[in-house]
């Protein structure tokens, strides 16, 4: 007796929906083993990561709002990435687009310091989106004009962006009243017109969260109702058919990379003006890379990404809590998130194939 | 600023040292891609090799044991990738990315207790007579054994792919897996073997960073070296000789920018630090100007035998 895989004509929708849940459960089990190996009580560790941030009487009040704060950038970036991923366009440099968006948007705001005008914050958001868009256009144009590999170019540009960030944080954007410390003026504290504060106290709701919800709805409409969404899906599922149907691959690359860049840039701007407060060398915290996991975990579907973003935000907060309460190393949670992606990809086999048990003579 | 401080002989010698990690990772990845598999997890396997090699070398006092452990660790991660992509037929791009994220997390978890320790020295292997030649001697023949081993691996891969039957089968599998399967070759097995080789090479490349090049463990120390290795495979048009050329070119750029930083050139440090990445992009652009450049026919495609 042996197992054989039989390709399904189309991926099973039931399995596409169920496998992310299986992957989460498998990750909890494997993660429990890892925590046990690190010397922690596995049940306690899993409870600290997944339940305490929401329900603990002492920490809940602080960590519940954090859920939205951390989920918003992940969802914004992942929605943008999913457009390209669905069509087989691999932009993995969202971290760079996020950084450049934050830098450009912050620069526009700081140029008007200390003007108090309602127009400044919207202008910064637009500038942030344009900054991220422009950064994503580099791989897009190289890909469409010269056929250069967008995976490698977009990733290389992350390192370039990080160096630009380091340069401006201690250079042109440095706070002139900061006593020589690197980092820009603090938007959240010193510059009300350019700050992205909580809209409803105690909820974590800021403009980035609003933008994330809008992005989810817009992406859903785009993918189900608009011709561009149809072209994206067709290209991903049957590239040859897409060509015969007259889908313009150049437009597709420019659109999907551009949208991903703009959304990532906006996410960066919302982050520096709100939760991070200022441009500093390390405000990024790797959202651009974690968003890749969010996009896959959400099955590249807007609603799935919304849920996956919230779950991943929970692991961030729970990870911090586990660090604090159980002395868990910070890297453990990163490993945990990586495992989740692995389990999910491994379980894709159930969606794309039927598992048949073959008896010997049948082969 | 004093450019006179830069000694061209020392520069050329340190170029070989700087290039070795990328060379090892790139030659391994080339074999993987020749078999038709795109493994984007090179960065993750390198950094895991770096930390495991470092930990084993520190604990055993033997850098050689460190390199062996690093190769095993790299192959171990590669096996994970191989099982998920080859047996469970997952998307190679996504799985490779996952491997990189996983490796980065795993390495910083393992590496925490080892921060700030210095690695045991590997020692130099001065080749008698040859190392006494003026100029060429110090540049080429006064290195540690791993530099020579990496060159041997490149030579072996070149000859193996070109002249042996196994090399021919590997290339057939990468070029057209359906035809190779029809001829009776075990596509999945060949690919798994190539993936393991790639992982072991990347692991050793990582260990070379933490044991010789730096030589200490720093979180995230590969800093994109694995991705540059992937770019070099493209640059090299999947040919072993050009991998050597590409890796040494990048070794040269990174050594030169470090030397310029040390010499206090009036260019800000950040702009010098980003130069290897910009050069990588530039090289990719130049290569793509040439058009079709010989990627294996089945690269990145899932193989599923229908019968």
């Amino acid at each position: 007796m042996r197992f054989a895989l039989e390709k399904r004509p189309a991926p099973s929708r039931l399995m596409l929906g169920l496998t992310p849940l299986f992957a989460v459960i498998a990750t909890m089990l494997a993660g429990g083993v890892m925590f046990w190996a690190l010397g922690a009580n596995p049940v306690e560790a899993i409870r600290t990561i997944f339940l305490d941030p929401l329900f603990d009487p002492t920490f809940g009040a602080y960590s519940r709002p954090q859920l939205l704060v951390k989920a918003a950038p992940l969802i914004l970036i992942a929605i943008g990435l999913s457009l390209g991923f669905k069509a087989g366009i691999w932009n993995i440099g969202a971290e760079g687009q996020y950084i450049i968006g934050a830098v450009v948007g912050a620069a526009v705001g700081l140029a008007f310091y200390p003007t108090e005008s309602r127009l400044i914050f919207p202008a910064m958001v637009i500038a942030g989106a344009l900054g991220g868009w422009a950064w994503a256009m580099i791989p897009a144009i190289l890909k469409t004009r010269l056929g250069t590999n967008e995976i490698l170019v977009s990733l290389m540009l992350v390192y370039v962006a990080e160096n630009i960030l380091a340069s401006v944080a201690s250079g042109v954007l440095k706070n002139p009243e900061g006593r020589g410390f690197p980092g820009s003026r603090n938007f959240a504290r010193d510059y009300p017109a350019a700050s992205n504060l909580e809209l409803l106290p105690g909820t974590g709701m800021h403009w980035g969260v609003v933008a994330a919800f809008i992005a989810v709805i817009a992406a859903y409409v785009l993918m189900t109702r608009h011709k561009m969404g149809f072209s994206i899906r067709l290209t991903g599922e049957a590239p040859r058919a897409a060509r015969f149907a007259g889908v313009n691959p150049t437009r597709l690359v420019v659109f999907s990379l551009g949208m991903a860049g703009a959304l990532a840039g906006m996410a960066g701007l919302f982050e520096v003006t709100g939760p991070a407060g200022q441009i500093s060398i390390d405000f990024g915290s790797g959202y651009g890379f974690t968003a890749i996991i969010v996009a896959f975990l959400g099955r590249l579907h807007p609603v799935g990404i919304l849920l996956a973003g919230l779950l991943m935000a929970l692991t961030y907060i729970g990870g911090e809590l586990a660090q604090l309460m159980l002395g868990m190393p910070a890297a453990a949670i990163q490993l945990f998130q990586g495992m989740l992606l692995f389990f999910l990809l491994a379980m894709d086999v159930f969606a794309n194939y039927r598992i048949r048990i073959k008896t010997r003579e049948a082969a | 600023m004093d450019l006179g401080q830069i000694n061209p002989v020392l520069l050329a010698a340190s170029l070989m040292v700087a290039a070795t990690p990328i060379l090892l990772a790139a030659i391994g990845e080339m074999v993987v891609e020749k078999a038709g598999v795109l493994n984007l997890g090179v960065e993750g396997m390198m950094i895991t090799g770096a930390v495991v090699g470092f930990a084993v070398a520190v604990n055993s006092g033997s850098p050689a044991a460190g390199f062996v452990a690093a190769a095993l660790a790299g192959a171990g991660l590669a096996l994970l990738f191989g099982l998920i992509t080859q047996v469970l037929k997952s998307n190679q791009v996504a799985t490779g990315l996952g491997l990189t994220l996983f490796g980065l997390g795993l390495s910083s978890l393992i590496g925490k207790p080892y921060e700030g320790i210095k690695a045991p020295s590997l020692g130099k292997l001065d080749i008698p007579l040859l190392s006494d030649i003026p100029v060429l001697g110090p540049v080429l023949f006064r290195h540690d054994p791993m530099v020579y081993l990496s060159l041997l691996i490149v030579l072996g891969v070149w000859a193996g792919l070109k002249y042996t039957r196994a090399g021919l089968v590997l290339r057939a599998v990468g070029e057209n897996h359906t035809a190779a399967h029809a001829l009776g070759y075990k596509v999945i097995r060949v690919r798994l073997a190539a993936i393991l080789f790639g992982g072991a090479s990347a692991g050793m490349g990582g260990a070379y960073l933490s044991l010789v090049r730096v030589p200490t463990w720093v979180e995230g120390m590969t800093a994109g070296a694995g991705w540059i290795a992937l770019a070099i495979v493209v640059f090299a048009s999947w040919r072993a000789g050009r991998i050597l050329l590409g890796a040494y070119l990048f070794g040269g750029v990174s050594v030169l920018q470090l030397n310029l930083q040390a010499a206090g050139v009036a260019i800000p440090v950040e702009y010098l630090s980003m130069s290897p990445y910009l050069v990588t992009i530039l090289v990719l652009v130049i290569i793509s100007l040439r058009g079709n450049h010989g990627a294996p026919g089945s690269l990145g495609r899932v193989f599923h035998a229908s019968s």
Side-chain angles (χ1 to χ4, degrees), chain A residues 5 146 148 155 159 296 329 331 349, chain B residues 88 94 108-109 224 227 288-289 304:
Chain A
L5 299 177
L146 308 169
T148 314
L155 195 275
Y159 294 98
F296 281 113
V349 73
Chain B
L88 299 176
S108 56
L109 188 63
W227 294 102
S288 47
L289 281 176
H304 176 236

Side-chain angles (χ1 to χ4, degrees), chain A residues 81-276:
Chain A
L81 291 179
S82 69
L83 303 177
F85 287 179
K86 249 193 148 45
I89 300 158
W90 300 99
N91 166 21
I92 60 172
E95 182 78 7
Q97 294 141 21
Y98 170 89
I99 289 173
I100 295 298
V103 167
V104 172
V108 167
L110 290 170
F112 290 105
Y113 180 84
T115 318
E116 286 296 327
S117 159
R118 281 172 173 279
L119 295 175
I120 287 183
F121 189 67
M124 289 168 74
V125 174
I126 292 168
L130 282 176
W133 175 82
W135 204 244
M137 275 303 110
I138 301 172
I141 289 170
L142 290 179
K143 165 111 180 158
T144 52
R145 286 287 159 88
L146 308 169
T148 314
N149 183 315
E150 83 280 13
I151 304 179
L152 294 170
V153 174
S154 63
L155 195 275
M156 287 295 135
L157 286 171
V158 174
Y159 294 98
V160 177
E162 281 175 352
N163 276 302
I164 290 177
L165 173 65
S167 163
V168 298
S170 53
V172 283
L173 295 186
K174 193 168 82 169
N175 183 359
E177 290 149 31
R179 300 199 196 88
F181 286 106
S184 73
R185 284 183 198 278
N186 193 312
F187 294 99
R189 206 181 49 221
D190 305 333
Y191 192 4
S195 68
N196 173 26
L197 298 173
E198 267 188 336
L199 299 172
L200 299 167
T203 57
M205 189 79 155
H206 63 60
W207 284 113
V209 181
V210 177
F213 283 124
I214 295 173
V216 168
I217 295 165
Y220 184 82
V221 173
L222 177 84
M223 294 310 285
T224 52
R225 296 278 179 275
H226 195 273
K227 186 164 169 248
M228 195 53 159
F230 176 72
S231 304
I232 289 174
R233 282 186 291 143
L234 187 61
T235 306
E237 281 161 28
R240 264 170 67 82
R243 270 207 303 282
F244 291 132
V247 174
N248 181 344
T250 302
R251 270 190 62 202
L252 207 66
V253 171
V254 169
F255 174 79
S256 59
L257 273 165
M259 281 305 285
L263 289 175
M266 259 168 35
L269 186 272
F270 289 129
E271 190 70 14
V272 285
T273 48

Side-chain angles (χ1 to χ4, degrees), chain B residues 63-64 67 119-126 142-148 208 211-212:
Chain B
F67 278 105
S121 170
L122 185 58
K124 294 260 195 273
L125 189 74
D126 287 3
R142 282 187 203 165
H143 288 294
D144 54 83
M146 283 308 289
V147 170
Y148 305 123
Y208 193 83
L211 289 175
V212 182

